[in-house]
Amino acid sequence: MGIREFPGGAPGGKSIAVGMRRSPDVSPRRLSDISPQLRQLKYLVVDEAIKEDLKWSRSVEDLTSGPVGLTSIEERILRITGYYGYQPWAASYKREERPRDSPGPAEAQAPAGAEAGGRTSPHCWRCSRAQLKKMFWGVAVVLCVCSSWAGSTQLAKLTFRKFDAPFTLTWFATNWNFLFFPLYYVGHVCKSEEKQSVRQRYRECCRFFGDNGLTLKVFFTKAAPFGVLWTLTNYLYLHAIKKVNTTDVSVLFCCNKAFVFLLSWIVLRDRFMGVRIVAAILAIAGIVMMTYADGFHSHSVIGIALVVGSASMSALYKVLFKLLLGSAKFGEAALFLSILGVFNIFFITCIPVILYFTKVEYWSSFDDIPWGNLCGFSVLLLTFNIVLNFGIAVTYPTLMSVGIVLSVPVNAVVDHYTSKIVFNGVRVIAIIIIGLGFLLLLLPEEWDVWLIKLLTRLKVRKKEETAEGGADLGSGPQSKSRRARPSFAR
């Protein structure tokens, strides 16, 4: 227990502030364990500035601790007596006695690399350069995601004017997934210090499927279902492009983020967040308004239903992947996507053949197929999936999601000049609502705690600046009167 004396009006002419430190060998669990310390609290006289610091610190800690944000009376008393290592007055009145271990809330706003003489430490300069580099890569990834997703959508719309076969286009583009693992291995050879052969790298990545690696049973139970979901997601999306314009398709597909949250909340028991429920409601409202924008015609209703189905399949793919396989490293993800391409080649190829002979998706000759459009669409879709799966290595995941939202205005501009789309008030409001819901879903889980801490630090900093400004104003006239005072000494 540390006792410090201050001039004041306590019993005996002194005011004492008691800072009780936690004993390393004692861990009290009941109030009876600290009854001697509690009896000393009735003699405690705390200065007003200390009370203010204590009030701020306790309010923040109470808000951020516990599931409800409230603490019991016993925990409050234990915190006040110092047994939880909480000594608010120690930081205020003992700065001259000992060095500070960690900066306070107001000090966190100051430049972390400031040293004596106003210099910046090289370590913090390196950190800032690393952050700037990550942000630069983030901008590049956003542009790549936006351009590849919008470009593939527009190119698919253009392809259907000459080649009306959405499932065949889906099958052709999915076959290119086979290139994922070879491209990853090329990057591994170029960047990794420890070179591994293709077989060694393949065996190491196969551990993702279990101790036995990629067996036939694992292939049909853990890879084949995702191959079906992948094909359905892309087919429904491309088929919807035939029914409605690309702007509506791209903005409605953004609802898959809301569907992922709802499925994760139900299936994975993820944390409930009110702001994400609001985002899901906004997404559903946007879907209804988008349907109303075209007057509930059968053609547009079918197209919107196809897009919503595609978004649902995409959400189901992501949730089931997390449920059955968990999280994957870069090599494991590349191998998994290549396996989806192999599954598509061996087991989905029969469906386009059946559609061709039944003349559901028929073309007169192979010379009439726009191979340039098909290959261009496949390359753009492959680029989009590569950046979306591996872009996290160079930038933040949130920026990659922003690239998908930015493809909506790009498609809107293209549709404005190439089609007869009418941007009435209902359609514009629906686009804004769905985009707002998508952005709300990008908020981190602890966004409310961060916001409370930020507001508290800003208030503390404003309070210190006000106190410093008052001190400067108080010392100014005093020094001026001293300089202006005449001397009568002879």
Side-chain angles (χ1 to χ4, degrees), residues 42-88:
K42 61 184 179 180
Y43 300 110
L44 178 65
V45 178
V46 185
D47 190 70
E48 291 298 325
I50 305 176
K51 289 181 180 180
E52 192 68 16
D53 291 341
L54 178 61
K55 180 182 70 175
W56 279 108
S57 302
R58 285 177 58 191
S59 63
V60 177
E61 191 164 353
D62 291 345
L63 285 171
T64 58
S65 63
V68 189
L70 299 176
T71 54
S72 63
I73 298 176
E74 182 175 347
E75 290 178 351
R76 288 171 180 261
I77 296 177
L78 289 173
R79 192 187 307 121
I80 292 173
T81 55
Y83 277 95
Y84 286 164
Y86 179 75
Q87 303 170 11

Side-chain angles (χ1 to χ4, degrees), residues 396-473:
Y396 305 99
T398 304
L399 292 178
M400 295 186 293
S401 300
V402 171
I404 299 176
V405 180
L406 293 180
S407 66
V408 176
V410 173
N411 286 320
V413 172
V414 176
D415 285 345
H416 179 71
Y417 290 102
T418 59
S419 63
K420 298 180 180 179
I421 184 175
V422 178
F423 288 99
N424 51 27
V426 178
R427 175 174 273 110
V428 172
I429 293 174
I431 292 174
I432 294 174
I433 286 177
I434 294 176
L436 179 60
F438 187 91
L439 294 177
L440 287 177
L441 289 167
L442 297 181
L443 292 175
E445 292 186 357
E446 304 296 334
W447 71 274
D448 51 346
V449 177
W450 293 354
L451 182 61
I452 292 173
K453 289 183 178 180
L454 178 62
L455 293 177
T456 304
R457 290 178 179 180
L458 291 176
K459 289 180 181 179
V460 173
R461 184 180 181 183
K462 185 177 180 180
K463 175 185 171 183
E464 290 187 353
E465 290 178 352
T466 305
E468 291 177 357
D472 294 340
L473 291 176

Side-chain angles (χ1 to χ4, degrees), residues 365-376:
S365 65
F366 286 92
D367 295 334
D368 297 334
I369 299 177
W371 292 106
N373 291 350
L374 265 66
C375 293

